Amino acid sequence: MGAFHAMFTKLSWRDGVTKLLIHIADAPCHGTQYHNGVGDSNPAGDPSGRTHDEMMKKMAEQNIQYFFGKINDSTDKMIGIFGQTLTIHSRGDLSVTTFSAADPSCGDFLGSLESAVKCSVQHSLAAAHGKTERAECKLIDRNLPKDFHGIPDRPGTAIRFHMPKSIDDLLSGAGLQIDKYKVNIRMTSRPFAQGSARLAYHGVERVHRKRVVLKRSKFEEVIYNRYKRYLEDAEVQTVAAKFLSDFKKALPTKYKDQFKMHMIVSKVVAFDTADDEGEKYVSMEPLLPPADYEKFTNNYDVQPSDTPFLETLQALSHWSWVISNERMMLVDLQGVPKDGIIYLTDPAIHCKDLLRFGYDTNLGAQVMIKFFEAQKCSGIC
């Protein structure tokens, strides 16, 4: 921790530039929480009382890209803790990028460095311009259109993920299979609703003659409108649907009979041509039944609610953590309860692997533990 302290007190860090830290070590820092047994002359931690939480908070405040050069496995636990803490303090914007310091070619380091610098530049550009809300944010039209006559067709390709066959497949890190099919979309020009990050539009998928909801970022910057971000959302929902499917099978019969739960899974639509704003991607979901939208849990804890579904939804988050060997947790549960069915949409998944399931919503293992500070186990657990 002393080296971190010196970095902040003896070096000058300018604002408005890309900042990098390259840290190479062959042993973990002081404190038994950071290792699984090495010769440690100060097992209680840093002699001056400095903590990793304090240092990672400063890293986040300075927006410093952190690269760690690994020489052996003794530092794995330390870097895992550092990385999760840094991600929490930066609200998902930063993590620790590791590379093999023993590799003489530095191949993985140079590739990671190039990627991280590009990402940093993109974030800096977005931060410099702020988050520019689209004009449509002020043009909300909550009416359900009677028809879509006069709206032009937009042909494109829908991309959907296949649900994993088992939780073990998820834990192995195997990528989900996808398939593609042609669509023809008509989409209203004005959204009918907005959340903290996206706008929702009415639409019709003409090939299969289905009413749908189409969602896109409410911000204009390129960083919020990339194909990868839309794919990550669809992947999270597909994995969440697998967790929910297996959870329902595990529920005792008396709870299965009380009400039903369904996870809405989105597809990504890539239009053949970009719109007038130069964008060509949206998420596509089934149209939910009319009812009040409710948020039951967020990324950290449980939201105040008198819904009878709440205990079961908390149990679902808890169960996902247990069944994944404490490596994942399904959170941010929200949706529409209607006639004894709850339609869940737009969840998030925390994972020990911070490179999975979206960098800005996957907040890692420490936030999973925080969930239990608010969650109260019921008879369902």
Side-chain angles (χ1 to χ4, degrees):
M1 298 301 168
F4 282 118
H5 178 71
M7 179 181 74
F8 291 116
T9 57
K10 296 183 179 181
L11 297 179
S12 298
W13 296 88
R14 289 190 295 143
D15 293 331
V17 298
T18 298
K19 305 171 189 177
L20 306 174
L21 166 65
I22 300 172
H23 176 193
I24 299 175
D26 62 355
C29 59
H30 291 304
T32 54
Q33 73 181 102
Y34 303 111
H35 55 77
N36 294 317
V38 298
D40 190 345
S41 57
N42 289 286
D46 181 71
S48 299
R50 303 183 186 100
T51 66
H52 74 274
D53 188 78
E54 174 189 353
M55 297 300 121
M56 294 305 109
K57 183 178 181 181
K58 290 182 177 179
M59 292 270 285
E61 290 170 349
Q62 292 278 2
N63 194 29
I64 298 172
Q65 300 282 320
Y66 185 177
F67 293 84
F68 180 77
K70 174 180 172 178
I71 294 177
N72 57 55
D73 295 340
S74 69
T75 53
D76 287 355
K77 186 175 182 180
M78 174 187 74
I79 289 304
I81 294 171
F82 286 4
Q84 290 169 357
T85 307
L86 179 59
T87 299
I88 291 170
H89 282 303
S90 67
R91 301 293 296 176
D93 284 342
L94 298 172
S95 61
V96 179
T97 300
T98 61
F99 65 94
S100 173
D103 177 8
S105 70
C106 295
D108 56 348
F109 166 64
L110 294 176
S112 298
L113 178 61
E114 179 184 15
S115 175
V117 170
K118 285 181 179 178
C119 182
S120 177
V121 170
Q122 291 154 1
H123 276 279
S124 297
L125 289 172
H129 297 287
K131 289 183 175 180
T132 308
E133 289 192 351
R134 301 180 190 276
E136 294 97 308
C137 292
K138 298 179 181 179
L139 300 173
I140 302 296
D141 182 357
R142 302 191 185 281
N143 295 317
L144 182 68
K146 295 180 180 179
D147 57 56
F148 291 81
H149 295 315
I151 299 176
D153 290 341
R154 293 192 68 188
T157 301
I159 300 97
R160 62 185 172 193
F161 286 98
H162 287 253
M163 188 180 294
K165 294 181 180 179
S166 68
I167 300 298
D168 287 340
D169 285 346
L170 285 178
L171 299 181
S172 72
L176 303 184
Q177 292 184 333
I178 64 171
D179 62 19
K180 302 179 180 181
Y181 60 95
K182 291 296 183 180
V183 293
N184 203 355
I185 303 293
R186 288 186 179 181
M187 174 177 169
T188 58
S189 60
R190 295 175 62 174
F192 68 88
Q194 63 176 309
S196 61
R198 297 196 292 178
L199 295 169
Y201 300 76
H202 285 295
V204 60
E205 201 280 275
R206 304 244 297 149
V207 175
H208 298 91
R209 299 181 181 181
K210 291 182 178 180
R211 287 284 183 101
V212 293
V213 173
L214 302 158
K215 296 180 180 179
R216 67 172 181 164
S217 171
K218 66 189 292 184
F219 305 113
E220 295 180 353
E221 285 75 20
V222 173
I223 192 171
Y224 305 113
N225 293 282
R226 291 183 170 174
Y227 179 54
K228 181 180 178 181
R229 289 184 74 101
Y230 286 98
L231 278 181
E232 285 176 344
D233 287 341
E235 180 188 23
V236 166
Q237 292 171 28
T238 304
V239 172
K242 176 59 179 175
F243 275 129
L244 178 58
S245 174
D246 285 13
F247 174 72
K248 290 191 293 186
K249 293 175 184 177
L251 270 177
T253 302
K254 65 177 181 179
Y255 295 110
K256 290 180 183 178
D257 294 340
Q258 286 182 6
F259 41 75
K260 299 178 181 179
M261 294 180 287
H262 179 69
M263 182 67 66
I264 301 298
V265 178
S266 70
K267 305 171 181 67
V268 181
V269 174
F271 292 117
D272 291 348
T273 57
D275 62 15
D276 293 339
E277 297 175 344
E279 296 167 15
K280 59 184 299 185
Y281 305 113
V282 294
S283 294
M284 180 172 69
E285 303 173 2
L287 179 64
L288 294 177
D292 291 334
Y293 193 91
E294 291 189 45
K295 193 173 181 71
F296 308 108
T297 68
N298 60 25
N299 283 5
Y300 295 91
D301 54 29
V302 180
Q303 299 291 94
S305 174
D306 57 1
T307 176
F309 299 106
L310 191 58
E311 285 188 350
T312 304
L313 293 174
Q314 290 183 69
L316 170 59
S317 293
H318 190 166
W319 181 88
S320 66
W321 179 76
V322 172
I323 202 67
S324 66
N325 297 326
E326 304 180 6
R327 290 169 61 184
M328 300 179 191
M329 178 181 283
L330 178 59
V331 295
D332 203 14
L333 298 173
Q334 55 200 301
V336 173
K338 181 74 171 180
D339 299 329
I341 302 174
I342 181 166
Y343 299 89
L344 297 170
T345 183
D346 293 333
I349 295 176
H350 295 323
C351 181
K352 284 189 174 181
D353 181 354
L354 293 168
L355 299 180
R356 299 181 71 180
F357 306 126
Y359 77 89
D360 50 355
T361 55
N362 172 15
L363 301 182
Q366 290 193 6
V367 173
M368 295 187 221
I369 301 304
K370 274 184 170 291
F371 179 84
F372 292 109
E373 295 176 5
Q375 188 251 5
K376 295 181 179 179
C377 286
S378 64
I380 305 174
C381 292

